[in-house]
Each structure stands twice: as structure tokens, then as C-alpha cells.
Amino acid sequence: NTMIIHDSDRLGLSQLYQLRGRVGRSSRTAYAFLMYRRNKLLKEVAEKRLSAIREFTELGSGFKIAMRDLEIRGAGNLLGAEQHGHMEAVGYDLYCKMLNEAVRTLKGEVTAESFETTIDIDLDAYIPTGYIPNEYQKLDIYKRMAGIETEDESEEMLEELIDRFGEPPKSVQNLLLVARLKARAHQVYFTDVAQKGDSVKFVLYEKAGIDPARIPRFVEEFQGALTFSMDAKTPYFKYLMNKNSRDRGRDGVEAVKTVLDRAETLLL
């Protein structure tokens, strides 16, 4: 019930998946250990393969493994030079997103409004070199954090960081916190959340799916700390914090949380 694979970084993703499937039967608990040499700097592709085999462990993961393998190795002529344009021009993730939106449009389904959300809080949120020395790994983690959309995804990211690199420092925890706040701000149609001094500005998307009639009552709930204005036809809220605060970053986080929690009442 135990398999040990030496130099697993030299094997392909489909090979690793097939080998892992050879151990374990029925109700018996089985183990597959994927080993690589100590202090060896893994190639980017090898690291992606090992991360994928670690991530997809539940039953029926074959399709997900195949899609990740497609992403890592490339799709050849299926999406390459013999087609109308190159997938590499937009990237695999964006290509899949565009394809999904096109299919939904052809089916007559209503697609969600597409817009970007940025967030800027006075908080040390970054990955220090001492935590992840490899620049390629660091950029990959930054990219994946930027794509976090739910609390579960954030927890999974935290567990993976602890497993691969150890307990994350405060700045990395702050980075995960900012990613969660950004996802929540996007859900309530804010395109920009920016802290400046003792205030936080929340810019609304011009086609936000909210009920304008609820805005006055929403503002009243903050008892003067929140105002609503229009700047060049761009609607935004402004939250005033305590001017005597000694920790602007933490107060900024709490202000953003407070507004986002209550902003759900504006949604249609």
C-alpha cells in the first residue's frame, strides 16, 4: 500500500498520475511519496507538474490532470499556429475565460459584467525574498493570489504556502488578506478601493448592479463617517477614519471590511 518514486521531477504529469493510481485498492489507505533530491533547484515545468499532482487527489481527477498537462506542455496545433491566431498571445487562462464567455453568449446566457478591481491599502503586503527565494516561484504565487475569488481558495493557498515554504510572515498574510478584500470588493461592483491619509475611497463600476434608491439609507448607517459623491460622472463613496489613529494600515483594513460587509445590501 506504499509507493516511493525517486527523482519524481524527471517524470511527466500523466506518468505520475498513472503511477499513483497503481497503489491502493478498495478501502485500504495507501500512500504515494514523490521524492526529489535535497537542495535541488527544480525547473519551473517540473514544479508545476508536482504541484498539480499534489493538488488533484480526489476521485475523478483525470480530466483536471489532463487540462493542467495541456496548460503546462502546450496544445500544439489544436490551439497553435495552424489556427486563427495563437493561444500564447493571450495566455491559457485568459483563452479559457474568453472561450467560456463565447460559449455562454451563444447559448443565450447572461454573462456577468467584466471589469477590473484594484485595491491600495497602507499595509505591508508582499512576499519577502527570504520566504520564497526563487523568482519564478514568487511570480507564480503572486499571480495565483491575484486570482483568488473565494474564502476557500484563500485557505487553500495558505495551506499550500505552509506546506511548501513554511509558516508565512506577516507581510504574506497581509497579501492574502488584501486578495480576499479585493475579491469581495469586486463582488459588490467596486473598481477601485484606495486609502489616502485618513480616508478610504470606494469607486463604483458605472454599470454596477445595485439599487440607487438604497444608497441614502446605506450612507446613513455609518452616522456621518461615509459620504457619497460624483466625480466626472464617476460615483464613489468616501469613508473617514479616526485622524488620531496610530495604525493607519490596520484601520484601513477595518474600514474596507466594514463598508464591504454592508455594501451587499445595495445589490439588486
Side-chain angles (χ1 to χ4, degrees), residues 123 173-182 250 253 257:
L123 202 65
Q173 296 179 30
N174 288 340
L175 191 61
L176 280 170
L177 173 60
V178 171
R180 291 197 298 270
L181 293 176
K182 176 183 174 182
R250 185 53 51 187
V253 169
K257 284 183 178 179

Side-chain angles (χ1 to χ4, degrees), residues 73-266:
R73 295 195 302 160
N77 288 337
L78 176 64
L79 302 171
E82 294 184 9
Q83 306 301 323
H84 295 287
H86 294 264
M87 180 182 67
E88 290 80 4
V90 295
Y92 179 81
D93 292 335
L94 179 56
Y95 175 84
C96 289
K97 182 179 179 181
M98 293 169 62
L99 184 61
N100 183 52
E101 290 178 354
V103 171
R104 294 182 62 182
T105 301
L106 291 173
K107 287 183 176 180
E109 298 179 8
V110 178
T111 57
E113 292 287 349
S114 178
F115 63 94
E116 293 294 328
T117 298
T118 59
I119 184 167
D120 183 12
I121 306 176
D122 292 342
L123 202 65
D124 289 333
Y126 63 96
I127 301 176
T129 303
Y131 185 61
I132 304 180
N134 187 290
E135 290 298 323
Y136 291 106
Q137 292 178 341
K138 187 183 297 185
L139 289 174
D140 181 61
I141 295 298
Y142 271 126
K143 178 182 176 181
R144 292 172 58 190
M145 282 188 180
I148 289 176
E149 295 181 354
T150 64
E151 192 74 24
D152 290 341
E153 291 179 1
S154 176
E155 291 298 326
E156 290 175 1
M157 185 78 257
L158 178 60
E159 291 177 3
E160 180 180 339
L161 288 173
I162 294 174
D163 183 68
R164 294 175 61 185
F165 308 106
E167 191 67 28
K170 190 65 177 178
S171 61
V172 177
Q173 296 179 30
N174 288 340
L175 191 61
L176 280 170
L177 173 60
V178 171
R180 291 197 298 270
L181 293 176
K182 176 183 174 182
R184 292 176 61 188
H186 188 83
Q187 292 171 359
V188 291
Y189 295 98
F190 287 125
T191 60
D192 185 41
V193 178
Q195 178 182 357
K196 293 184 179 180
D198 57 356
S199 67
V200 182
K201 185 177 180 180
F202 300 81
V203 180
L204 269 172
Y205 179 51
E206 57 183 6
K207 298 180 181 178
I210 65 172
D211 184 0
R214 300 178 188 174
I215 292 179
R217 184 176 179 180
F218 172 69
V219 172
E220 290 176 1
E221 292 179 1
F222 291 86
Q223 301 178 351
L226 187 72
T227 58
F228 178 73
S229 306
M230 295 285 290
D231 182 10
K233 296 184 180 180
T234 301
Y236 68 90
F237 296 96
K238 191 172 185 179
Y239 184 93
L240 297 177
M241 301 184 298
N242 183 6
K243 293 183 178 181
N244 298 322
S245 172
R246 295 183 178 180
D247 191 347
R248 292 284 177 83
R250 185 53 51 187
D251 279 5
V253 169
E254 293 302 321
V256 172
K257 284 183 178 179
T258 301
V259 173
L260 294 182
D261 285 341
R262 301 184 185 182
E264 293 181 357
T265 59
L266 296 173

